[in-house]
Amino acid sequence: MIKSLMLRELTYLWRDRGLRRILLLGSLVGLVLFYATYSAQVLRDIPTAVVDLDRSAASRELVQKLGQAENLKLVAFPGSYQEAQELLKRGQVIVAVVIPEHYGKNVALGRQTNVYMAIDGSNEIYATNATTAALTVAGTISANAGVKALLSRGFDPQQARDAYLGVDIREEPWFNPTLNYAYFLVLALILNVWQQCCTLAAATNIIGETGRPSWLQFKLAGTSKWTLFVSKSVVHICVFMLMILPIYFICFGLLDIPLNCNWAVFLLFTLLFAVALHSVGTLASSFARNAVDSTRFGMIIALPSFIISGYTWPLEAMPASIQHAAKLLPQTWFFQGLNYFTFKNPGWPFMRQYFLALGIIALICYSAAALITSRK
């Protein structure tokens, strides 16, 4: 009986062309799109304009160092601040550096001099990278100027360097040393597409039967609701896992996205998430009045879940009410755990809370769905 029901559900899933295309193609299309988007991995060649109002040897040296910065690309040399401002407004440059008059003279005399740097903050990703690159150049220039000032006062070259550069702070990013955007975002965005497709499919689990004449046939045949929906659920979850396997193969095998944990443990974690995700969709399906309502409920749950999961914006920085709501969703525990598994792998004693949370969510949602369905 269970085998027949599972084959029947698989047939229904395959015959539904719209659902079949979403399940088979949604994640793969997303993978191609997102990897192409973030294929540069690190932002380089950020368009930069330099206004040199001094035109001295020192200012030309500063311009040269800006041009040698890894992430900056000098594309314009406007003659005034106003011209640079227009370039920023039109989006032709992201950074505008203004070297003031008497810059070279002040540097030679060891006086403090200010170099103005305007950064387009309308795009946070661009702005963050541009700020980092500009500060690196500024630190180098400042250090060189300080050493030259000490040399002009008669210091020995080595003494001047030791005195000015007595504290050398070196930053070293861990877990993602190159700050690769593709490593951080591609897998998460693909899995977000996958979880949305799965949620929409799971949202048809119960309403798909209660809305069909076959429901009456099952009742007359004496088929229990438990047998029917367990059979359907097993098929759905197996399909969800079959969808994700080629995605994982491409991401970890071909695109070299890091995975710092055991494959078996990671697949088990994904399976538990698929079960929890299916339970949420099943619960939405249980109290829906029709298939349209069920799809709406699924979308309401699936679409914002990634945003409030804490993956791209710290959960701790969100209002307390959103934090509590987010912890009720399996997506929060999965995407938080995903970050630990792919980059850090802190071990089972720490990660078991994520497994436990997904298991509890699945148990509660399936139980609530069974209770609601039994009264229909």
Side-chain angles (χ1 to χ4, degrees):
M1 172 63 74
I2 292 180
K3 182 179 179 181
S4 299
L5 290 173
M6 292 174 66
L7 289 173
R8 168 185 173 275
E9 183 62 21
L10 190 60
T11 302
Y12 274 125
L13 287 176
W14 184 255
R15 285 180 178 176
D16 190 332
R17 290 185 179 181
L19 184 59
R20 184 177 74 215
R21 288 170 181 168
I22 290 174
L23 293 176
L24 294 179
L25 300 178
S27 298
L28 289 173
V29 171
L31 175 59
V32 173
L33 175 64
F34 292 135
Y35 189 76
T37 301
Y38 296 97
S39 59
Q41 301 180 354
V42 178
L43 280 183
R44 291 188 174 88
D45 297 334
I46 298 173
T48 303
V50 177
V51 181
D52 187 356
L53 300 178
D54 188 49
R55 299 187 182 280
S56 64
S59 67
R60 287 193 293 273
E61 181 185 2
L62 175 56
V63 173
Q64 183 181 10
K65 289 188 180 297
L66 287 168
Q68 293 171 350
E70 182 181 6
N71 294 357
L72 300 181
K73 181 180 181 181
L74 304 186
V75 297
F77 298 90
S80 66
Y81 170 80
Q82 289 72 21
E83 292 179 30
Q85 188 178 41
E86 286 302 314
L87 293 175
L88 282 167
K89 285 182 179 180
R90 294 196 295 267
Q92 292 178 257
V93 298
I94 303 298
V95 181
V97 179
V98 181
I99 303 173
E101 296 177 346
H102 310 303
Y103 167 82
K105 179 180 178 181
N106 290 333
V107 169
L109 295 175
R111 297 173 181 172
Q112 182 178 359
T113 183
N114 297 319
V115 175
Y116 182 75
M117 187 173 296
I119 297 176
D120 184 354
S122 61
N123 185 315
E124 185 180 353
I125 302 297
Y126 250 142
T128 301
N129 283 268
T131 301
T132 302
L135 289 178
T136 300
V137 175
T140 302
I141 295 295
S142 179
N144 289 339
V147 171
K148 288 180 180 179
L150 292 177
L151 289 174
S152 66
R153 297 177 186 177
F155 277 71
D156 178 82
Q158 188 59 47
Q159 287 180 327
R161 292 189 190 93
D162 292 342
Y164 197 84
L165 303 175
V167 178
D168 183 17
I169 299 177
R170 298 182 182 181
E171 61 180 30
E172 181 185 3
W174 284 17
F175 309 119
N176 187 8
T178 59
L179 301 179
N180 190 323
Y181 280 105
Y183 287 173
F184 176 66
L185 283 176
V186 169
L187 180 61
L189 292 175
I190 296 307
L191 290 175
N192 180 41
V193 174
W194 171 73
Q195 68 89 11
Q196 291 184 28
C197 296
C198 293
T199 303
L200 292 177
T204 65
N205 195 24
I206 291 176
I207 196 65
E209 293 297 345
T210 56
R212 290 180 183 147
S214 58
W215 178 245
L216 181 60
Q217 296 176 8
F218 285 123
K219 293 174 69 175
L220 294 175
T223 303
S224 69
K225 295 177 182 178
W226 186 90
T227 301
L228 175 62
F229 290 113
V230 165
S231 303
K232 289 167 61 68
S233 299
V234 168
V235 170
H236 286 187
I237 293 168
C238 288
V239 170
F240 295 169
M241 291 303 294
L242 288 174
M243 288 168 55
I244 203 59
L245 289 178
I247 299 299
Y248 280 169
F249 173 76
I250 294 172
C251 287
F252 299 126
L254 301 182
L255 304 182
D256 291 327
I257 291 176
L259 178 64
N260 290 301
C261 71
N262 182 276
W263 254 106
V265 174
F266 188 65
L267 287 176
L268 178 62
F269 184 61
T270 305
L271 174 61
L272 191 55
F273 172 60
V275 172
L277 196 65
H278 187 267
S279 73
V280 173
T282 299
L283 178 59
S285 182
S286 67
F287 55 73
R289 292 174 297 178
N290 51 55
V292 175
D293 270 357
S294 182
T295 302
R296 289 170 180 167
F297 293 149
M299 292 182 64
I300 290 172
I301 295 169
L303 291 178
S305 60
F306 180 68
I307 298 173
I308 65 173
S309 69
Y311 191 89
T312 57
W313 184 258
L315 194 63
E316 296 76 15
M318 300 179 191
S321 57
I322 293 182
Q323 292 185 42
H324 296 319
K327 290 179 180 178
L328 299 176
L329 297 173
Q331 289 91 337
T332 300
W333 297 96
F334 177 71
F335 285 110
Q336 292 276 341
L338 176 71
N339 186 272
Y340 283 110
F341 271 134
T342 53
F343 287 113
K344 304 174 183 179
N345 190 21
W348 171 250
F350 179 82
M351 293 305 302
R352 63 185 174 188
Q353 62 180 315
Y354 294 90
F355 285 83
L356 183 61
L358 292 174
I360 291 173
I361 291 172
L363 180 62
I364 292 174
C365 290
Y366 277 135
S367 299
L371 181 63
I372 295 172
T373 305
S374 65
R375 296 181 176 181
K376 289 189 175 182

